[in-house]
Amino acid sequence: MGERIPNNIFLIGLMGAGKTTVGKLIAKSLGKTFYDTDHVIEQRTGVKIPTIFELEGEAGFRKRETSTLEEFGQQDNIVLATGGGAIIAPENRAILKQYGYVVYLRANVNELYLRTRNDKNRPLLQNVDVKAKLEQLFHARNPLYTETADLIVDTGHQPVAVIIQKIETALHALEPSCKP
C-alpha cells in the first residue's frame, strides 16, 4: 500500500453488512468526516435510489456512483460507506485502492437477509426472492470485495463496538500515529 496509510477509510460490502452504521461510528472515533455514497447521490438528485434505477437503470446509477467515488477519493480525512455494487466496475476498485484504506465488512447471506428483507429502498431486492438474490450477489461480489480490501472484518453477530475495535487495531498496526 505504500509508506503511509491514506487518511481515507472506504467501507465496502454487500447491502446490509453494516457499512453506514460502522462508518458513522468509526468516523466519530477517529475524528474523520463520514459520507455514504448512496446518500450523497440521493441528496444531489433529489430522489431515492430506486427512482434512479427506475429512470436511468442500473447503468445510469453506476455512472453516478463512479463519479461520486472519484470526487470523494480526492478528499482527505474521511470515512466513506460505498454502495454494495461499487466494486463491480474495475475503475471503482482502482479508485478505492488508490485513495484509501479499504475495509470489507463481510456478513453471511442469512445475516444479510435478516437485515434487508423488509427494506424497500434496495432496488436489487424488489420483486425477487430476497435470499436467493443475496446468495447470487454474495457469490458474484465476494471475490471482488476480497481482492479490493486491505482488511476483512466479519460483521455477523459481533457487537458494533468489536468491529470498530478490530478496524482501529488494524490501523494502529499499520500506522502507530493514527489515533483512534
Side-chain angles (χ1 to χ4, degrees):
M1 171 129 267
E3 303 275 333
R4 149 183 122 66
I5 299 169
N7 255 338
N8 298 330
I9 299 169
F10 299 136
L11 302 176
I12 61 173
L14 277 171
M15 58 188 101
K19 299 180 299 288
T20 300
T21 301
V22 169
K24 287 177 181 176
L25 293 170
I26 196 82
K28 183 175 182 184
S29 176
L30 297 175
K32 296 180 181 296
T33 305
F34 174 76
Y35 298 98
D36 180 308
T37 57
D38 286 352
H39 295 159
V40 169
I41 292 168
E42 285 182 344
Q43 286 174 340
R44 291 182 176 173
T45 60
V47 297
K48 295 282 187 190
I49 302 296
T51 304
I52 297 170
F53 266 71
E54 189 180 311
L55 297 173
E56 300 178 0
E58 185 173 355
F61 173 77
R62 297 293 172 208
K63 225 172 132 178
R64 290 179 183 278
E65 190 171 56
T66 297
S67 171
T68 303
L69 286 175
E70 287 171 343
E71 176 188 341
F72 280 86
Q74 303 298 318
Q75 294 200 22
D76 194 35
N77 206 33
I78 67 167
V79 174
L80 182 69
T82 64
I87 47 75
I88 294 170
E91 62 268 30
N92 291 355
R93 295 194 301 274
I95 290 166
L96 293 168
K97 288 172 85 111
Q98 180 179 355
Y99 294 110
Y101 184 77
V102 183
V103 179
Y104 171 19
L105 297 181
R106 183 173 58 191
N108 68 49
V109 172
N110 287 331
E111 192 69 33
L112 296 169
Y113 172 74
L114 292 173
R115 296 175 186 175
T116 62
R117 67 180 184 259
N118 298 317
D119 192 334
K120 299 300 178 211
N121 203 36
R122 301 189 187 272
L124 296 180
L125 299 184
Q126 302 311 305
N127 305 313
V128 296
D129 176 336
V130 172
K131 199 165 200 176
K133 183 64 175 183
L134 287 167
E135 188 82 42
Q136 175 209 350
L137 290 170
F138 182 85
H139 287 296
R141 294 178 181 177
N142 185 54
L144 299 174
Y145 293 134
T146 302
E147 159 199 321
T148 308
D150 294 303
L151 174 68
I152 299 172
V153 179
D154 288 304
T155 59
H157 294 292
Q158 295 187 77
V160 175
V162 172
I163 295 165
I164 301 297
Q165 186 58 51
K166 286 182 179 185
I167 295 169
E168 289 180 353
T169 299
L171 290 170
H172 275 313
L174 294 165
E175 183 176 78
S177 64
C178 180
K179 293 188 176 26

